[in-house]
Amino acid sequence: MLDGGSRLERRKRLNGLNLSIVDTHAHLDMHQFNRDRAGVIARAQDAGVSTIITVGVNLESSKKAVALAEKYPGVLAAVGCHPHEATTVQKADIDEIGKIARHPRVVAIGEAGLDFYRNYSPRKAQLQVLEWQLELAVKLHLPIIIHCRQAEKDMLNLLLDWTKWYKDPHGQRRGVIHCFSGDTQTARQYLNMGFYLALGAYIGYPNTDNAHSVIRSIPQDRLLVETDCPYLSPQSHRGKRNEPAYLPLTVEMLAQIRNVSFETIARETTQNAHCLFRWGIT
Ligand SMILES: [Zn+2]
């Protein structure tokens, strides 16, 4: 059983400390939220999740993400093309993404990356689309949200090359490895390149105890939390739709694994989200 009290108690604690949590990776535009999107966002606020970054997976979904960020004050957008979509993506689509990325509510480029597990798109197309988005992130001085599944070697090589010539004027603000589940060595390589690592509810799935040492090794100023909703529901809601209101469960699990308080994880990850995505700063 998780400690940390009821949802209401958690919210009171967060409000009392003037704290909130940032869901740095959600897909609010997806059809699973069509019925009750406003309710989902309201429930997140009730649970202390004040800010949600909704992440596009292709041009159309990126446009929807921006529209949601315009409509809801607690929602920000990331725009990009997921590796699953790479085979259908043309350079013109990335140029269009570049245009909508200039919107003030857009805080990152992504979801970009490589997925050699599902291989829904040929690897060559995935690499090309990722490279275009890395260039775009540099051009617009925006961080990049990286999806990487069974492609660590190629990803590390590519990013190492990228970070050699990408000097961000804001310092270490290159991006985030979303849904990180690699080993300690891989974590260190990403951290050395200036990336943040984002963790979700999957850290509480059965047989994941061996990941605890990796989770403990992440410096407090590089950790982010996310839901990846509607996917990756917490263990207690497996088989059902995930939503941002469940994010405090991940904060509680992290607090237990890292042996610090719920408030500490909430404060650190929120500060880190502000440092990386810098919304409201011109
Ligand atoms: Zn995602």
Side-chain angles (χ1 to χ4, degrees):
M1 221 13 228
L2 293 163
D3 62 13
S6 70
R7 190 199 292 177
L8 189 66
E9 281 167 15
R10 280 197 301 266
R11 184 187 170 197
K12 274 191 203 149
R13 279 160 62 191
L14 287 167
N15 285 345
L17 292 159
N18 202 14
L19 274 180
S20 58
I21 310 174
V22 181
D23 184 350
T24 58
H25 195 114
H27 297 287
L28 293 179
D29 71 291
M30 288 193 175
H31 71 88
Q32 289 90 337
F33 296 114
N34 284 354
R35 232 176 350 101
D36 61 345
R37 194 166 281 110
V40 165
I41 294 165
R43 271 200 296 283
Q45 304 271 334
D46 273 357
V49 182
S50 61
T51 307
I52 304 164
I53 300 177
T54 191
V55 182
V57 295
N58 56 33
L59 179 55
E60 197 199 334
S61 129
S62 296
K63 284 180 180 167
K64 285 185 190 163
V66 175
L68 288 169
E70 277 179 344
K71 185 170 177 186
Y72 298 100
V75 176
L76 298 163
V79 293
C81 294
H82 193 284
H84 289 342
E85 310 273 334
T87 190
T88 63
V89 177
Q90 306 291 321
K91 179 68 168 64
D93 296 313
I94 303 296
D95 293 343
E96 193 64 27
I97 296 267
K99 281 184 198 153
I100 60 174
R102 293 173 195 275
H103 190 287
R105 308 266 312 153
V106 171
V107 295
I109 298 297
E111 180 167 358
L114 300 174
D115 195 313
F116 295 169
Y117 175 69
R118 299 228 185 254
N119 278 313
Y120 287 155
S121 285
R123 293 181 180 195
K124 209 172 153 220
Q126 293 189 36
L127 284 158
Q128 175 64 82
V129 173
L130 173 58
E131 282 179 33
W132 283 335
Q133 293 181 89
L134 287 169
E135 283 167 18
L136 189 60
V138 174
K139 201 166 119 192
L140 300 178
H141 292 305
L142 284 171
I144 191 147
I145 297 175
I146 294 284
H147 167 111
C148 181
R149 197 149 181 216
Q150 287 195 8
E152 261 79 21
K153 199 166 159 276
D154 292 73
M155 183 61 80
L156 285 164
N157 284 338
L158 194 71
L159 293 181
L160 204 57
D161 206 40
W162 180 63
T163 50
K164 271 185 202 145
W165 56 271
Y166 176 24
K167 295 277 179 275
D168 187 274
H170 303 296
Q172 291 199 325
R173 193 182 159 242
R174 292 190 169 111
V176 52
I177 309 300
H178 124 83
C179 266
F180 180 76
S181 61
D183 58 19
T184 310
Q185 201 200 341
T186 309
R188 196 165 304 132
Q189 285 173 282
Y190 284 130
L191 292 163
N192 287 345
M193 288 191 276
F195 281 89
Y196 289 72
L197 302 177
L199 303 176
Y202 58 88
I203 61 168
Y205 290 174
N207 308 317
T208 50
D209 287 5
N210 55 0
H212 289 189
S213 60
V214 185
I215 292 169
R216 280 191 281 265
S217 80
I218 302 171
Q220 60 182 40
D221 60 350
R222 294 296 189 87
L223 185 66
L224 296 172
V225 285
E226 61 175 24
T227 57
D228 199 23
C229 65
Y231 312 114
L232 296 177
S233 301
Q235 186 63 22
S236 51
H237 299 75
R238 277 305 266 286
K240 294 183 201 137
R241 181 187 73 178
N242 194 8
E243 60 174 79
Y246 301 153
L247 190 60
L249 295 171
T250 298
V251 173
E252 284 174 6
M253 286 187 285
L254 278 172
Q256 287 186 4
I257 294 167
R258 288 168 70 94
N259 201 21
V260 293
S261 68
F262 177 90
E263 288 78 8
T264 299
I265 298 290
R267 185 184 304 109
E268 288 171 354
T269 56
T270 298
Q271 272 172 5
N272 295 344
H274 277 281
C275 278
L276 179 61
F277 298 110
R278 298 172 69 91
W279 64 94
I281 299 168
T282 46

